[in-house]
Amino acid sequence: MPAEYKVAVVGRFKAGKSSFVNELLGRSLAGENTNPETAAVTTFCHGNSVKAAIQFVAQAEWDELKQVYKEEPKSPDAHRVANWFKFNKKKPDPDDTDGEIYDEAALAALEKQYLAAGGRPKEIVLDESLGKKGESAFRRELKRFTTSTKPHHCLVQTIDISTPSDLLDEGVRLIDTPGLDDTERFRVSLTEEAVEGVDAILFLTQSGVAYGQSEKDFLLTLLRKGTVKQLVFVITQVDKTYAQHVRQARDEGEHPQPIEKRVEIERRRIEQQVEATLLELGDGSDSPALQRYQEQLGDVEVIFTSAASHRDWLAKEEVKHPLQAGDPGGMMAVKRALLDLLSTESRLAATARAIEAGAGSLLDTMVGIIQNRRAAVHNIKNREEAERKLGLFRSQLEQAGSEFSATTSKDMQTLTSSLSAKARLIESLVENILLQAEAVLSEYETSDAARHWKTRRSGNWGFMSALQAKVANAIFPKVAGLLSEQQEEFLTFIDKFKAHLDYLSATSHSVSESLELGSEVRLDVSERLAKFLQEILVDLQSLVTAEEQRIVTLLDEFVTQDVQDRIAAARESVADEWGAGTTYRQTLGVRKFYSELKQILRDALRDHVQQARHGFAEYLQAQASLLPDKAIGEIGAELERMQANITAAAEAAMQGKKAAFDELAERLSKPLSETAAWLHESLAIDGPNEVPDGCRILQVHAKAPAESSPQHPLGSVTALSTEAKDHSAPLDPPETGVFDKIRRDASDLRERYVLKRGAGNWALPRIFADRYLKDATHALIVDPYLSRPQQMRNLGEFIACLRRIPTFRTLRVITGTMRNEDVAEHDASLRELALQLEQVGVNLVWDRVDSVHDRFVVLDTGVVFKLGRGLDIYKHASGLARTTPELRQVHECEIDVFSRTAVK
């Protein structure tokens, strides 16, 4: 298991990253200046004293980079050396406060001082005895290797700073990165490399400043790679933005709004900017990729901060604009959110869950084997009779197994045919992908065609910074759509397979009853197949999701070295254009260059996407082909287990050792059970003896305390509009005042569901259990967020729970308001759902209310569900989880069930 959490801090230049890091650490170690001070990736870890360990690039690697620069100065691999040689000047850099000159001799001296075979280390230690002077001297010395105004940072490989810090003492390694909009591409590359594999990303953006393109590109790349679940938006310098608002309001003779109001306004602005970015990417369409992005971002926390306010607060100085009492700078909120996120979403948490799941399942299996053998020893009286019954069961089930194999084989052929048939449709999707990629390249072409001839002659054109990532981000929605088309066929096969497996399980149960196996031959084929299906679906979910993620990540690699070489050659031919009519001929060369480049990228992308499509289809078919034999194998294993139990029972009876065996079984199973309980507790996944999927159910049959009592989060729902509009069915639901009274009377807390973040096997029927829905005729659901695709999916699944009850007839839905342009589409979706329900005698009506905050469900039988997150309890669902609710992971939340009277 990893011993630490890795947290990266990213953001644009002037976003206040270094000030934020210093306040988060509780010590001023990161350089703060008007220049980009984080030019090298700096990692902070816990230590008893403050010291910086700097590792420089190895001599051989540096020499290789210099050779690349000599042969192709514009190569991305040469950016570090290209930046190094920019310091070769006869005059000091105006941004360098020390006024040092780094000519050719000075640069050579630095190389000799800091480079060595294998990389030379350097240590800088803070002398605590010097107090503030010591800290200043430490920062000044460290700054030489982190600031962009000196060439030293080009030689730096890594910087690790150890320091005493409460946050770092929790096992956190904090990684400070160069700015996303850094003008030097190699420093941006350092940031992109630093965030790979981290446990969380603190994404800093300055208050009051709109997103830049660099932030959009970085965010989209995170979304595409699926790492956004570990993202926290941190809005910095809120004090400055609010101070500006106060001054402006007073200048205009108005009262300034409270800081809480300004924060909420900015929160909405940020959400709208992100939403606009996603809609722009998806061309406004409701693509699978766009849904994926929206669901991921629904998880992201936004925290507002002010490093200056936090610093003043710690110094016991006046804080003019505190964000909240006890945490005026918001830094405590960042720490709380970060540690909570790491405890549930990090590599450590994932590893703990994997250990718990794997080891726990193994222990449960071992205990089950012992208990089954123990029961067999006690129950089997006649070995011959038991073996005869087992033989009959085996022979009758073999026929059912043959039919199962034949049926699933036909389904497999259908899957193969369907995937092949979709190939023609997918060809058109591939063509759209290529056009989308060309559109990205055309933006570069327009810019370069307008450049001055001197700029083109000097070679400062045609360099497509991060072209590959930009193209990948642009085309990802369509690639995700392409993979989804193939997954749909696979999901259809899985649904059929589940049905066939259920039938085989029912057949085994029927055969068992017809043979009157009784307690002597205890066969658990049905139970074993049910467990097999759940385990296989979980495994398939992981495999399919991982394969899909691998493919979308490979979009970063479609430009091969051969393609890069051809691009470089084409660029050079234009840069070397001389003579009369240079501008005209250069422009023609630029156009020709991009025409050739488009074809190069078209061919590279076509090959890449086609290979991904074929590979994914073959992968799905391979996974599907394994399932039937695995299922038959499970049955065979169960029969062999029973045969072994019969033999063991006969031997124990013959030797008169039933009591001894019973004692041995008890001695073996007890420590195994205790170990399983310890595993749950020590890994902090579940308490002992709780539901094994990571969720806890507490039975409560006493009057709920006052704070748990369902009050009126909406005020009185009787004030809500109840107009049924044109979608009313013959049977109308009760007025909302009826539901209001039910909520007042429902004070008996019957059950509390505690859902732990990341847990699975939590479909809605488990919450809205039949014992609570029984005899219900009318229901009200209040949930402000029922508009996005996944939210509408959840609503449909909730209605499916209600439809299991024969008496159910009407549902009233109250949700929040939305943008005017979205109302018509949302109404159309609800109207379609209402028409479908009307066919089965169920009436659906809905209203939108601006002040909706709390979430709950009220039944006319007196049962009330208080929903912490409404129906939106699931995290982003991909692969099989899209259609199999049990496979979805949940958010952390609590759901209380109240009633007026006891519910059995």
Side-chain angles (χ1 to χ4, degrees), residues 537-609:
L537 288 177
V538 171
D539 289 343
L540 282 174
Q541 166 70 6
S542 300
L543 291 171
V544 171
T545 302
E547 178 67 10
E548 181 187 42
Q549 192 59 54
R550 185 188 71 83
I551 289 173
V552 298
T553 302
L554 284 176
L555 288 174
D556 287 330
E557 302 174 10
F558 67 86
V559 177
T560 63
Q561 185 59 51
D562 177 61
V563 172
Q564 290 179 358
D565 293 343
R566 292 169 68 184
I567 291 174
R571 184 188 303 120
E572 186 176 350
S573 68
V574 174
D576 291 342
E577 193 68 56
W578 292 86
T582 296
T583 300
Y584 173 74
R585 284 185 288 105
Q586 279 187 342
T587 302
L588 290 179
V590 169
R591 299 294 188 190
K592 180 183 178 184
F593 164 75
Y594 276 100
S595 176
E596 294 174 352
L597 183 57
K598 286 177 181 178
Q599 189 58 49
I600 290 172
L601 295 186
R602 171 178 277 269
D603 293 343
L605 262 180
R606 179 182 291 278
D607 290 345
H608 183 85
V609 174

Side-chain angles (χ1 to χ4, degrees), residues 94-223:
D95 292 329
D96 187 357
T97 56
D98 295 333
E100 295 180 271
I101 298 175
Y102 296 99
D103 56 14
E104 186 175 347
L107 292 177
L110 289 176
E111 288 180 329
K112 184 176 181 180
Q113 181 180 0
Y114 295 115
L115 298 183
R120 178 171 291 166
K122 177 180 176 60
E123 188 173 84
I124 305 173
V125 180
L126 171 62
D127 189 345
E128 299 277 8
S129 65
L130 298 177
K132 295 293 184 182
K133 289 184 178 179
E135 288 188 358
S136 179
F138 177 84
R139 287 196 302 272
R140 187 166 55 252
E141 177 65 12
L142 179 63
K143 179 179 176 181
R144 297 179 68 84
F145 303 99
T146 62
T147 179
S148 63
T149 62
K150 294 185 181 297
H152 301 62
H153 76 274
C154 298
L155 302 177
V156 172
Q157 189 80 305
T158 59
I159 299 179
D160 292 285
I161 300 178
S162 62
T163 178
S165 166
D166 291 340
L167 177 66
L168 301 180
D169 195 28
E170 297 284 347
V172 173
R173 286 179 69 90
L174 200 64
I175 305 169
D176 193 12
T177 63
L180 296 175
D181 54 349
D182 199 306
T183 54
E184 292 300 333
R185 178 61 199 166
F186 93 89
R187 293 200 291 258
V188 177
S189 298
L190 292 177
T191 299
E192 293 172 349
E193 293 171 6
V195 302
E196 292 183 3
V198 299
D199 295 299
I201 296 173
L202 299 177
F203 192 94
L204 271 59
T205 184
Q206 187 178 352
S207 175
V209 178
Y211 283 109
Q213 191 59 48
S214 58
E215 288 173 307
K216 290 180 181 179
D217 289 341
F218 183 78
L219 179 60
L220 291 176
T221 299
L222 287 178
L223 287 164

Side-chain angles (χ1 to χ4, degrees), residues 795-898:
L795 177 61
E797 292 175 0
F798 167 68
I799 292 174
C801 293
L802 295 174
R803 286 191 55 199
R804 294 199 312 266
I805 308 304
T807 56
F808 183 70
R809 288 294 176 268
T810 68
L811 172 65
R812 180 179 296 281
V813 175
I814 297 176
T815 187
T817 56
M818 58 184 64
R819 296 179 303 183
N820 291 335
E821 57 268 30
D822 296 331
V823 170
E825 183 178 354
H826 190 230
D827 275 343
S829 298
L830 289 171
R831 191 173 293 111
E832 181 180 352
L833 180 58
L835 290 173
Q836 294 174 2
L837 292 174
E838 190 174 343
Q839 301 301 313
V840 293
V842 175
N843 184 27
L844 171 68
V845 297
W846 63 92
D847 297 280
R848 297 188 183 87
V849 179
D850 189 33
S851 58
V852 175
H853 296 293
D854 206 354
R855 293 98 162 164
F856 53 85
V857 169
V858 185
L859 304 177
D860 62 344
T861 53
V863 175
V864 176
F865 295 83
K866 186 174 181 181
L867 311 175
R869 290 183 57 99
L871 296 179
D872 203 3
I873 66 172
Y874 300 114
K875 302 177 72 173
H876 163 66
S878 61
L880 304 182
R882 284 160 43 208
T883 58
T884 308
E886 291 83 2
L887 298 179
R888 298 175 197 148
Q889 294 184 333
V890 297
H891 297 290
E892 183 173 356
C893 61
E894 291 186 2
I895 298 172
D896 289 338
V897 185
F898 296 91

Side-chain angles (χ1 to χ4, degrees), residues 362-540:
L362 181 60
L363 290 170
D364 290 342
T365 300
M366 293 172 67
V367 171
I369 290 173
I370 293 172
Q371 296 301 334
N372 280 330
R373 182 66 55 85
R374 187 179 184 181
V377 167
H378 278 277
N379 294 332
I380 294 177
K381 312 298 182 185
N382 186 315
R383 175 175 182 173
E384 289 74 15
E385 179 62 15
E387 288 184 333
R388 185 186 70 80
K389 289 184 176 181
L390 180 64
L392 288 173
F393 181 89
R394 185 191 298 267
S395 62
Q396 291 192 31
L397 199 60
E398 280 181 357
Q399 182 178 354
S402 299
E403 294 174 357
F404 170 80
S405 298
T407 305
T408 52
S409 177
K410 290 181 180 178
D411 290 342
M412 185 67 213
Q413 294 173 9
T414 302
L415 172 64
T416 302
S417 300
S418 298
L419 289 173
S420 299
K422 283 215 167 181
R424 291 185 291 275
L425 171 63
I426 288 174
E427 281 298 323
S428 62
L429 292 177
V430 172
E431 188 61 32
N432 286 334
I433 289 171
L434 300 178
L435 292 174
Q436 192 85 13
E438 286 186 8
V440 175
L441 197 56
S442 294
E443 295 178 8
Y444 289 93
E445 179 180 6
T446 300
S447 174
D448 284 339
R451 289 183 181 273
H452 193 275
W453 66 271
K454 289 184 179 179
T455 302
R456 294 200 286 243
R457 176 171 291 176
S458 64
N460 293 325
W461 78 279
F463 177 67
M464 289 149 287
S465 174
L467 167 67
Q468 196 157 250
K470 286 179 181 292
V471 170
N473 287 339
I475 69 176
F476 169 74
K478 289 186 170 60
V479 174
L482 181 152
L483 298 178
S484 294
E485 287 286 337
Q486 295 176 302
Q487 268 197 43
E488 289 301 324
E489 301 299 331
F490 181 68
L491 291 172
T492 300
F493 172 84
I494 291 298
D495 287 340
K496 291 180 180 178
F497 179 78
K498 287 162 61 177
H500 298 326
L501 201 62
D502 287 343
Y503 181 75
L504 182 61
S505 177
T507 300
S508 72
H509 181 72
S510 176
V511 171
S512 177
E513 286 189 335
S514 67
L515 293 176
E516 298 180 348
L517 296 183
S519 62
E520 286 198 3
V521 183
R522 296 181 58 185
L523 282 169
D524 296 323
V525 172
S526 299
E527 181 179 339
R528 185 162 187 140
L529 287 179
K531 185 177 180 181
F532 159 75
L533 178 59
Q534 180 62 26
E535 290 176 349
I536 205 70
L537 288 177
V538 171
D539 289 343
L540 282 174

Side-chain angles (χ1 to χ4, degrees), residues 338-359:
L338 183 59
L339 292 176
D340 178 63
L341 179 70
L342 293 174
S343 68
T344 54
E345 297 288 1
S346 68
R347 294 165 299 139
L348 277 74
T351 303
R353 282 194 290 268
I355 292 174
E356 191 275 336

